Amino acid sequence: MSTKQPDPGPLHEDMWIDGTWCRAAGDQRFAVFNPATGEPIANVSRGGSEDVDRAVRAARAALGKADWRGLTPYQRERLLHRLADLVEADGERLAALESLNQGKLLKWSRAIEVGGGVQWLRYMAGWATRIQGSTFDLSVPAPAGVRFRGTTLREPVGVVGAIVPWNFPLAMAIWKIAPALACGCTVVLKPAEETPLTALRLAHLAREAGIPDGVLNVVTGDGATGAALVRHPDVDKITFTGSTEVGREIGAQCGRDIRRVALELGGKSPVVIMEDMDVNAAVEAAAGAIFFNHGQVCTAGSRLYVARSLYQPVVEGLAALAEGLSLGAGLDDSADMGPMVSAGHRDRVRELIDTGREEGGEVLAGGERYDGKGYYVRPTVVANPHNKPLTLVEKEVFGPVVVAMPFEDLDQAIDQANDSIYGLGASIWTRRLDYAQRAVEGFRAGTVWVNAHNLVDPAMPFGGVKSSGIGREHGEAAIEAYTELKSVCMGF
Ligand code: NAD
């Protein structure tokens, strides 16, 4: 254990609405915990529908005021760059705060939450000055002597309600805020109840960067707070990242209200290892795909399909690797894996492992209870050599649990990979171009990785097919997601 504890900086426990720290109506609060110890670290405001309403009204007013939509695109770009600079400057404290609250290893907080957050802010800042419509001649034949020309404008979609989960709290907040602000929208952000602290710090930094009051509001609370935001009649678009279960409810509500909605939901991503892979490289690949962020990744490679000739050595190698991983707090720089985010989530992961065992899965590593302090689950490798229909193969665990199955040829591997209600990510590991190309075409997934897994980039669209969601984030797709196309028809 490292002796020097990084400084997480000041904690914000109130909500950020219209440029002011404020308490929830009735001063309702909830405790936020350190998952490595189970101890409370903050007591954060629980926003109700009154608070959501205040935040939405602030966002609507900021949208209408000359101080946001009236800024030139270049001014919006500059503000986002300034925010990126401030996040970078505060990076060490932000990373420490994220690791303290979420439990993830400090190196991942630095690289993904802070480093990635800064990268996304800068990438999306650049888009502010590049949003374009198009011009086209129309073929309307009458009246004689009159010609018609069409143009399209891309206008901000309006007030955006952004709801994010707890696995990448700061990064995912930025994934939504950065493109929305680049497009000239205003935002009400609802972070996950487990991990609201870095989002609140981000609001403070946005203020320092000079982003006008009301443009970014942060309302903290649980699912009921999120539901109040989804129901609010003055929100133009909901962008949600979270479970398929909740996404279904949000989609239904938005459908009834004819409100724009984007849903980034759950996954059960397959990793396919072909027979031309080196065993050690295959083991590393499979471990990285499932154990990164302690398996709490929407694209976690939780279904491992290995060519029959490599199945035994790869599965044994993966189990040995898992046994060798050490658990510890995110701030403990000797740990290989941190805790689950909450006691409730740890219990859910444990139950799924127990079910897997009862249904005939062979637990080769992990699976035992960890009864010390903190919400730990040991990395767990389950062999399923006869391809039994296990709950663990079907359901998202969202923890460090992988099920390994053999296949005979690539066609069978693709069929098995696609045999899921989810379609978020899928990877194939091979040196053969023909295998890679067939898998790229065959996998039903929003992202296909070849010799990689879990990689995201601000330029690469990201999202799911099937029950993994509707819509895409990142890249130009994000700009399309936060703008409305207006057609203008002009006769002359
Ligand atoms: P969750 O759906 O329980 O909660 C996500 C967010 O929604 C939280 O902020 C929560 O407070 C809020 N919420 C809960 N009920 C709500 C309701 N009825 N109305 C509005 N908001 C509500 O998910 P979770 O357990 O926090 O996160 C894990 C899930 O997120 C996993 O399924 C994972 O795959 C998914 N996820 C998906 C992506 C992606 O990009 N596709 C990324 C990360 C996580």
Side-chain angles (χ1 to χ4, degrees), residues 14-22 200 203 207 216-219:
D14 289 334
M15 297 180 294
W16 181 253
I17 299 177
D18 205 11
T20 315
W21 292 112
C22 43
L200 290 168
R207 175 49 147 2
L216 171 64
N217 307 275
V218 181
V219 177

Side-chain angles (χ1 to χ4, degrees), residues 380-463:
T380 300
V381 178
V382 179
N384 184 24
H386 306 296
N387 276 295
K388 286 188 186 154
L390 305 182
T391 303
L392 273 184
V393 178
E394 184 197 327
K395 282 215 167 135
E396 183 181 42
V397 177
F398 220 57
V401 183
V402 59
V403 188
M405 286 140 296
F407 64 83
E408 307 304 331
D409 59 31
L410 181 56
D411 286 337
Q412 191 198 3
I414 291 173
D415 285 348
Q416 285 176 304
N418 289 341
D419 186 15
S420 170
I421 62 161
Y422 296 110
L424 196 54
S427 68
I428 180 162
W429 297 76
T430 181
R431 285 185 292 253
R432 280 183 52 174
L433 199 54
D434 58 332
Y435 282 163
Q437 289 297 347
R438 278 166 59 198
V440 164
E441 288 173 11
F443 285 148
R444 287 197 66 202
T447 301
V448 174
W449 290 284
V450 177
N451 299 324
H453 198 100
N454 286 333
L455 292 188
V456 289
D457 187 280
M460 187 164 75
F462 179 79

Side-chain angles (χ1 to χ4, degrees), residues 163-167 172 190-194 221-223 226-227 230 240-244 246 249-250 264-267 298 396 398 424 462 468:
I163 301 173
V164 293
W166 44 256
N167 60 333
M172 285 199 182
K190 211 297 282 173
E193 53 271 44
E194 295 85 353
D222 57 13
V230 172
F240 171 77
T241 299
S243 61
T244 295
V246 173
E249 277 176 42
I250 291 178
E264 296 284 347
L265 309 177
C298 51
E396 183 181 42
F398 220 57
L424 196 54
F462 179 79
S468 289

Side-chain angles (χ1 to χ4, degrees), residues 107-186:
K107 66 175 178 180
W108 296 125
S109 291
R110 285 180 174 138
I112 313 259
E113 308 289 347
V114 175
V118 168
Q119 192 189 358
W120 255 261
L121 280 164
R122 294 206 169 117
Y123 173 88
M124 290 299 170
W127 267 108
T129 50
R130 287 159 182 78
I131 299 171
Q132 296 180 340
S134 58
T135 309
F136 36 91
D137 287 330
L138 304 180
S139 307
V140 183
V146 180
R147 285 171 57 201
F148 289 90
R149 180 157 297 146
T151 51
T152 55
L153 307 178
R154 281 209 167 269
E155 298 188 331
V157 81
V159 174
V160 172
I163 301 173
V164 293
W166 44 256
N167 60 333
F168 292 100
L170 180 64
M172 285 199 182
I174 291 175
W175 286 9
K176 297 189 184 306
I177 293 166
L181 299 195
C183 292
C185 297
T186 56

Side-chain angles (χ1 to χ4, degrees), residues 47-319:
S49 39
E50 231 175 280
D51 307 295
V52 167
D53 182 56
R54 258 190 310 149
V56 172
R57 278 192 284 121
R60 175 63 59 193
L63 189 71
K65 277 192 267 175
D67 61 359
W68 187 240
R69 253 193 85 178
L71 292 188
T72 65
Y74 180 58
Q75 287 170 315
R76 285 205 305 276
E77 176 176 335
R78 290 285 304 271
L79 285 174
L80 285 170
H81 275 300
R82 211 173 293 154
L83 178 57
D85 293 343
L86 292 176
V87 171
E88 194 163 45
D90 200 32
E92 274 304 289
R93 295 196 317 183
L94 270 169
L97 182 61
E98 198 71 284
S99 288
L100 178 70
N101 183 191
Q102 206 280 342
K104 71 180 58 200
L105 300 184
L106 190 57
K107 66 175 178 180
W108 296 125
S109 291
R110 285 180 174 138
I112 313 259
E113 308 289 347
V114 175
V118 168
Q119 192 189 358
W120 255 261
L121 280 164
R122 294 206 169 117
Y123 173 88
M124 290 299 170
W127 267 108
T129 50
R130 287 159 182 78
I131 299 171
Q132 296 180 340
S134 58
T135 309
F136 36 91
D137 287 330
L138 304 180
S139 307
V140 183
V146 180
R147 285 171 57 201
F148 289 90
R149 180 157 297 146
T151 51
T152 55
L153 307 178
R154 281 209 167 269
E155 298 188 331
V157 81
V159 174
V160 172
I163 301 173
V164 293
W166 44 256
N167 60 333
F168 292 100
L170 180 64
M172 285 199 182
I174 291 175
W175 286 9
K176 297 189 184 306
I177 293 166
L181 299 195
C183 292
C185 297
T186 56
V187 175
V188 177
L189 172 72
K190 211 297 282 173
E193 53 271 44
E194 295 85 353
T195 54
L197 300 179
T198 48
L200 290 168
R201 179 82 66 77
L202 183 68
H204 165 76
L205 296 175
R207 175 49 147 2
E208 260 189 56
I211 290 178
D213 293 349
V215 168
L216 171 64
N217 307 275
V218 181
V219 177
T220 44
D222 57 13
T225 315
L229 183 58
V230 172
R231 278 195 312 270
H232 197 291
D234 210 22
V235 172
D236 296 298
K237 171 161 186 162
I238 291 291
T239 172
F240 171 77
T241 299
S243 61
T244 295
E245 214 180 347
V246 173
R248 210 168 259 133
E249 277 176 42
I250 291 178
Q253 179 68 41
C254 290
R256 277 193 291 274
D257 297 343
I258 321 284
R259 201 190 310 284
R260 277 109 193 89
V261 66
L263 303 170
E264 296 284 347
L265 309 177
K268 192 75 204 173
S269 299
V271 173
V272 172
I273 307 274
M274 298 307 294
E275 76 284 346
D276 62 311
M277 281 293 288
D278 165 73
V279 169
N280 292 334
V283 168
E284 290 291 331
I290 184 64
F291 298 139
F292 164 57
N293 212 39
H294 331 148
Q296 300 171 129
V297 180
C298 51
T299 50
S302 52
R303 292 184 292 141
L304 175 64
Y305 297 102
V306 187
R308 170 81 62 195
S309 60
L310 292 190
Y311 181 74
Q312 207 58 32
V314 168
V315 171
E316 282 167 11
L318 184 60

